[in-house]
Amino acid sequence: QKRKQDNKLDRSSTNFQFNDTDPPICQKYYICTMSPSTDHKDLPLVPESVLKRRHDLDDLKRKRQAIKDDVVGRKSSGKRQAKRGEYVRKPETFLAKAKQRRNEHTRYRRVKKKGMQKRASKDPVIETKEIETVAAGNDTQNQKSEVKVIKYQANSAGAPFVFVMRIREDAGAPPKCVLNILNQLRLKEPNTGVFVRYTPVTRRHLHLVEPWVVYGKPSNGIVEDLMERRSFGNVNGERVPLSDNTIVENALGSKHGLICMEDLVHELTGPGDLFDVVAKFLWPFPLSSSRSKFEKNLLALKQGKDYGDKGEEIDEYIKQML
């Protein structure tokens, strides 16, 4: 009876109207929470793997859209409008880049004043290399391998022309004087190549930018492969693939009498009187990187590990980048 009186007092104080037959509040709450819900019985069940895949696809779509907006914003205003993510650069990176720039300035001034000294030679340098060959035959188990010694010229001394490839990016912030020479050679982007006459002036320029380029005299077969697979022409300031001889004839036929790809190859390998015209007409050759993804990401090799004058050995280097 005392408990009933206390309940009546509490109910009267809160202005709630309850009957004596109602269960206590805690008991009623327990009944409501534990009762099974029948509202979502007809909804289909989605596996958890499908939900995770949807979430990953939505996240990937959002990132791609952010990158696309970032590129559009940079093209329109010239500034990065959307940040891809915040990251912290260590002081060691700034010190390393500053040291690299200082060393590159020192090297440029030394080469400009004294030349290449020991590294470059004005006379042809003949070296040898061993190549293992297997005799042709039907029996693969009893085939014998032979080692042949081949002589080749290790530098480009005396060559009438060279093929120059840029192998380094602007990550190290090269000096402006180096960038000016690279722009004169039309090597504005990494992994691109051009044909150049090998004159004393060109030789001096290549020595100044040697850590950024690889050059040498390619064979006639490599020149033909480059023209067939990676050649583009500069037609009215536009980059046009040389897939048809009519493009060459319309651009160079009336003025210089060049009507087909064979004429271009002949002028380059000669070199003929129209070498400069053909070299200027050809767009810089786009090449693939000589370093694999494993070397870039895991080994973290320094840029420009292979650079300078390769001579006739440039053929093997071009085959890797075709």
Side-chain angles (χ1 to χ4, degrees):
Q1 293 177 357
K2 189 175 181 180
R3 191 175 294 174
K4 286 184 179 181
Q5 290 178 2
D6 294 339
N7 290 336
K8 286 181 181 180
L9 290 174
D10 294 338
R11 293 171 185 175
S12 61
S13 63
T14 54
N15 296 325
F16 287 153
Q17 294 182 2
F18 292 97
N19 297 326
D20 294 337
T21 57
D22 293 338
I25 297 176
C26 59
Q27 185 179 358
K28 191 173 182 180
Y29 177 74
Y30 175 77
I31 293 172
C32 292
T33 53
M34 295 301 294
S35 62
S37 60
T38 59
D39 298 337
H40 307 291
K41 275 186 175 181
D42 299 334
L43 293 178
L45 296 177
V46 182
E48 186 178 358
S49 60
V50 177
L51 294 176
K52 287 183 178 180
R53 180 168 178 79
R54 288 179 184 175
H55 177 270
D56 295 341
L57 290 175
D58 293 341
D59 192 17
L60 181 62
K61 188 184 295 184
R62 186 172 62 253
K63 288 181 180 179
R64 287 179 176 175
Q65 186 63 31
I67 294 174
K68 186 177 179 181
D69 296 341
D70 185 16
V71 173
V72 173
R74 280 186 292 174
K75 286 184 178 179
S76 60
S77 62
K79 296 181 180 180
R80 182 172 295 181
Q81 296 179 355
K83 295 183 178 179
R84 297 185 184 179
E86 296 181 357
Y87 58 95
V88 179
R89 288 187 178 180
K90 296 181 180 180
E92 289 82 357
T93 58
F94 293 98
L95 294 176
K97 287 187 177 181
K99 183 179 179 181
Q100 184 179 359
R101 286 194 297 268
R102 188 164 57 250
N103 293 339
E104 288 166 356
H105 276 286
T106 304
R107 181 199 172 277
Y108 183 88
R109 290 195 297 268
R110 183 183 69 248
V111 174
K112 188 175 181 180
K113 184 177 180 180
K114 298 182 179 180
M116 289 294 291
Q117 297 176 348
K118 295 182 180 181
R119 185 177 176 87
S121 176
K122 296 182 180 180
D123 300 326
V125 178
I126 305 299
E127 294 184 0
T128 59
K129 61 180 178 179
E130 295 181 354
I131 298 179
E132 186 176 356
T133 59
V134 179
N138 297 328
D139 192 0
T140 58
Q141 296 180 356
N142 298 327
Q143 286 181 349
K144 295 182 180 180
S145 60
E146 298 179 357
V147 177
K148 291 185 177 181
V149 179
I150 298 177
K151 294 183 179 181
Y152 69 96
Q153 185 174 338
N155 62 352
S156 301
F161 73 98
V162 291
F163 184 74
V164 188
M165 295 180 292
R166 180 175 176 180
I167 56 173
R168 286 184 63 182
E169 301 179 2
D170 298 338
K176 290 184 178 179
C177 47
V178 173
L179 290 178
N180 291 337
I181 295 177
L182 292 175
N183 291 337
Q184 290 177 10
L185 296 173
R186 299 187 299 151
L187 297 175
K188 298 181 180 180
E189 297 179 358
N191 300 323
T192 55
V194 293
F195 287 99
V196 180
R197 280 189 184 273
Y198 197 56
T199 60
V201 177
T202 306
R203 183 171 180 267
R204 182 175 176 80
H205 285 174
L206 291 175
H207 287 172
L208 291 173
V209 298
E210 191 162 288
W212 283 268
V213 296
V214 170
Y215 61 95
K217 184 185 181 303
S219 61
N220 296 347
I222 293 296
V223 175
E224 292 178 1
D225 289 344
L226 281 171
M227 294 297 295
E228 290 177 1
R229 299 170 60 178
R230 297 298 180 98
S231 61
F232 293 85
N234 187 356
V235 181
N236 298 327
E238 296 182 358
R239 180 174 177 237
V240 179
L242 299 181
S243 58
D244 193 357
N245 289 331
T246 56
I247 300 174
V248 180
E249 185 177 1
N250 294 334
L252 303 175
S254 58
K255 292 183 179 179
H256 307 288
L258 303 176
I259 59 174
C260 61
M261 294 286 290
E262 286 74 10
D263 293 343
L264 301 183
V265 174
H266 176 72
E267 291 294 332
L268 290 174
T269 57
D273 298 334
L274 301 177
F275 178 89
D276 296 332
V277 175
V278 175
K280 188 176 180 181
F281 168 73
L282 293 175
W283 200 274
F285 292 84
L287 303 170
S288 59
S289 178
S290 61
R291 294 186 297 160
S292 64
K293 190 176 182 181
F294 175 77
E295 289 180 337
K296 288 181 179 178
N297 297 341
L298 300 183
L299 298 181
L301 296 178
K302 292 183 179 180
Q303 292 184 355
K305 61 173 184 178
D306 244 352
Y307 66 90
D309 190 359
K310 295 296 178 181
E312 295 179 353
E313 208 174 9
I314 195 69
D315 290 351
E316 301 297 330
Y317 206 92
I318 296 175
K319 288 179 182 178
Q320 297 177 6
M321 304 181 71
L322 275 177

